[in-house]
């Protein structure tokens, strides 16, 4: 499955929001290898265009390559690091995670994110303390016992901190990793672009594919949208949990998230395409969620917007999905790309 190959390569590249230069370089080289000419917006979004058979209204698909991460907030007196979060996640979601501190000179220092009061042999409240910015820290893999020694390594406030993705592919078809949100969708789009290019498929509608770099902080693909675009499809994770229909084996079609309902007609069109093609899908509401499409609407773009994606278990933690969900999502996108724009 080509998607898995792209996904493993993407997950190996640290790319917290604001520190995406390496993954952008990967995208540019990959797209060039596919014979596609990419444009990079001033803030770093990458876009390619597939001309349609006729000129006129166009569609746009997005997926984001930026991930959760952190920055050095302060160097503590004992040489350990205080963090500031990049993106939205509870502190307990990264407890015990290995990480890299990215220095200005391009080198890295490894470490582990821990509660300050971790040792149960010393702190009886280790299991009950609320995890917060004040008591979570990075234990560096370096001989440091005071702030001056950490500073001598080249670490400074504002350095980015990336988390180990811990990617595993199981024999039963599961993918376990951090940052499947949203590198799973990026991998799906890259594999589809490869298929379209290799098979010389001519799409009926001019299609722009944008890989955004600031989605996790809310403004990823809300600009640099061609004026001809009338349909905007965000490809991002489907959220799983209590009261959710989304699972790891189908494509999730979002009807509403925290920003409000998605375009009703567009959503129904995607459902109809899935039904016609026998693609397994679920309709869902994501209560605490926003996408690149909803960010574009908030920025004032007058487009029909929709959101689909693979079902992701334990979002913003150690996530999991299944190849069945990746395939269902890919199949629906491919079917959509070969369909005409909806009327109206």
């Amino acid at each position: 499955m080509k998607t898995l190959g792209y996904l493993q390569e993407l997950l190996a590249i640290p790319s917290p929001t604001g520190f995406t230069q390496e993954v952008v370089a990967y995208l540019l080289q990959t797209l060039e290898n596919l014979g596609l000419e990419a444009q990079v917006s001033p803030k770093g979004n990458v876009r390619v265009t597939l001309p349609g058979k006729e000129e006129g209204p166009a569609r746009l698909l997005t997926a984001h390559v930026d991930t959760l991460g952190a920055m050095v907030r302060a160097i503590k007196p004992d040489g350990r690091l205080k963090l500031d979060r990049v993106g939205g996640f509870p502190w307990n979601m990264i407890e015990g995670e290995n990480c890299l501190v990215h220095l200005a000179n391009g080198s890295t220092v490894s470490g582990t994110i821990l509660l300050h009061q971790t040792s149960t042999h010393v702190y009886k409240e280790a299991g009950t303390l609320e995890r917060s910015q004040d008591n979570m820290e990075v234990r560096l893999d370096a001989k440091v016992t005071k702030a001056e020694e950490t500073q001598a390594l080249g670490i400074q406030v504002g350095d980015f901190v990336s988390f180990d993705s811990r990617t595993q592919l199981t024999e039963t078809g599961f993918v376990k990793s951090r940052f499947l949100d949203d590198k799973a969708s990026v991998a799906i789009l890259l594999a589809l672009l490869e298929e379209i290019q290799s098979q010389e498929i001519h799409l009926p509608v001019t299609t722009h594919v944008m890989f955004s770099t600031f989605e996790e902080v809310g403004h990823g693909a809300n600009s640099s949208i061609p004026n001809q675009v009338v349909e905007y499809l965000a490809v991002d994770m489907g959220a799983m949990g209590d009261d959710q229909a989304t699972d790891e084996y189908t494509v999730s079609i979002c009807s509403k998230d925290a920003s409000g309902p998605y375009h009703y007609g567009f959503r129904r069109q995607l459902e109809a395409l899935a039904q016609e093609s026998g693609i397994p899908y679920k309709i869902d509401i994501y209560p605490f969620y926003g996408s690149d499409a909803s960010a574009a609407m908030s920025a004032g773009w007058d487009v029909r917007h929709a959101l689909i994606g693979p079902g992701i278990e334990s979002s913003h933690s150690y996530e999991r999905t299944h190849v069945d969900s990746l395939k269902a999502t890919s199949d629906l996108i491919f079917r959509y790309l070969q369909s005409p724009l909806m009327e109206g």
Side-chain angles (χ1 to χ4, degrees), residues 1-3 6 34 36 50 187-203 330-331 334 337-338:
M1 189 178 186
K2 293 178 181 178
T3 298
Y6 284 120
L34 296 178
L36 292 165
L50 304 174
I188 288 169
L189 292 184
L190 288 175
L192 283 172
L193 287 171
E194 180 179 342
E195 180 72 11
I196 290 168
Q197 289 295 96
S198 65
Q199 299 298 321
E200 298 183 353
I201 297 171
H202 299 290
L203 302 178
S330 178
D331 289 347
F334 194 55
L337 290 177
Q338 297 180 86

Side-chain angles (χ1 to χ4, degrees), residues 1-4 6-7 10 61 63 182-195 211 235-236 251 308-310 321-323 325-334:
M1 189 178 186
K2 293 178 181 178
T3 298
L4 290 178
Y6 284 120
L7 181 53
L10 287 161
L61 283 72
D182 185 36
K183 290 184 174 180
S185 300
V186 175
I188 288 169
L189 292 184
L190 288 175
L192 283 172
L193 287 171
E194 180 179 342
E195 180 72 11
F211 301 100
V235 187
D236 207 333
V251 55
I308 68 172
T321 192
H322 194 273
V323 292
S325 189
L326 300 177
K327 183 179 186 303
T329 304
S330 178
D331 289 347
L332 181 55
I333 296 170
F334 194 55

Side-chain angles (χ1 to χ4, degrees), residues 92-330:
N92 64 290
M93 295 296 192
I94 59 170
E95 184 174 5
E97 195 60 85
N98 290 325
C99 64
L100 291 175
V101 183
H102 298 267
L103 279 57
N105 64 9
S107 64
T108 60
V109 177
S110 65
T112 306
I113 302 168
L114 296 166
L115 178 73
H116 177 77
Q117 301 90 342
T118 289
S119 176
T120 57
H121 293 93
V122 178
Y123 305 102
K124 68 177 181 179
E125 70 274 29
T128 58
L129 275 175
E130 178 184 1
R131 274 55 178 165
S132 69
Q133 185 182 52
D134 290 332
N135 60 23
M136 296 293 288
E137 62 189 15
V138 176
R139 179 188 67 194
L140 294 168
D141 297 326
K143 289 185 176 181
V144 293
T145 57
K146 53 187 177 181
E148 292 80 5
E149 292 171 340
T150 296
Q151 292 166 343
L153 297 174
I155 295 175
Q156 58 187 347
V157 171
D159 285 341
F160 278 93
V161 178
S162 64
F163 312 146
D164 187 353
S165 64
R166 291 191 286 134
T167 303
Q168 292 186 20
L169 276 60
T170 74
E171 293 181 358
T172 51
F174 289 99
V175 183
K176 302 191 295 185
S177 182
R178 286 193 179 274
F179 316 132
L180 296 177
D181 170 21
D182 185 36
K183 290 184 174 180
S185 300
V186 175
I188 288 169
L189 292 184
L190 288 175
L192 283 172
L193 287 171
E194 180 179 342
E195 180 72 11
I196 290 168
Q197 289 295 96
S198 65
Q199 299 298 321
E200 298 183 353
I201 297 171
H202 299 290
L203 302 178
V205 178
T206 294
T207 300
H208 306 279
V209 178
M210 184 183 293
F211 301 100
S212 68
T213 54
F214 281 90
E215 192 276 345
E216 291 292 358
V217 294
H219 63 86
N222 69 353
S223 56
S224 302
I225 299 170
N227 290 328
Q228 296 81 8
V229 170
V230 296
E231 288 184 359
Y232 187 128
L233 178 63
V235 187
D236 207 333
M237 54 147 267
M240 294 175 56
D242 293 341
D243 296 327
Q244 299 298 108
T246 299
D247 59 33
E248 296 172 271
Y249 315 108
T250 61
V251 55
S252 181
I253 302 176
C254 182
S255 58
K256 176 184 179 295
D257 65 13
S259 69
Y262 282 76
H263 190 278
Y264 183 74
F266 194 178
R267 189 246 293 186
R268 289 301 188 197
Q269 178 195 21
L270 292 167
E271 290 179 50
L273 291 173
Q275 292 168 2
E276 292 168 7
S277 303
I279 299 168
Y281 72 95
K282 297 290 176 64
I283 304 296
D284 218 341
I285 292 173
Y286 312 150
F288 309 111
Y289 190 115
S291 72
D292 275 328
S294 54
M297 299 301 285
S298 297
W301 288 94
D302 187 6
V303 294
R304 295 184 286 270
H305 70 312
L307 167 62
I308 68 172
I312 303 296
E313 222 287 317
S314 300
S315 61
H316 281 197
S317 184
Y318 188 50
E319 299 165 343
R320 192 182 77 167
T321 192
H322 194 273
V323 292
D324 289 352
S325 189
L326 300 177
K327 183 179 186 303
T329 304
S330 178

Side-chain angles (χ1 to χ4, degrees), residues 58-96:
R59 54 181 38 137
L60 176 82
L61 283 72
T62 69
H64 68 91
V65 290
D66 62 308
T67 70
L68 305 174
M71 297 178 79
V72 175
R73 173 68 179 86
I75 300 175
K76 302 173 76 170
D78 62 359
R80 297 192 177 194
L81 305 180
K82 187 174 184 178
L83 296 177
D84 204 48
R85 290 173 293 186
V86 174
F89 58 92
W91 286 101
N92 64 290
M93 295 296 192
I94 59 170
E95 184 174 5

Side-chain angles (χ1 to χ4, degrees), residues 20-21 23-29 31 37-49 209-214 223-224:
T20 54
Q21 61 278 4
V23 76
V24 165
Y26 167 86
L27 287 174
L28 293 176
Q29 185 61 62
L31 294 168
E37 182 177 349
Q39 295 178 309
V40 183
S41 74
K43 71 177 178 182
N45 291 343
V46 177
R47 192 183 81 222
V48 295
T49 299
V209 178
M210 184 183 293
F211 301 100
S212 68
T213 54
F214 281 90
S223 56
S224 302

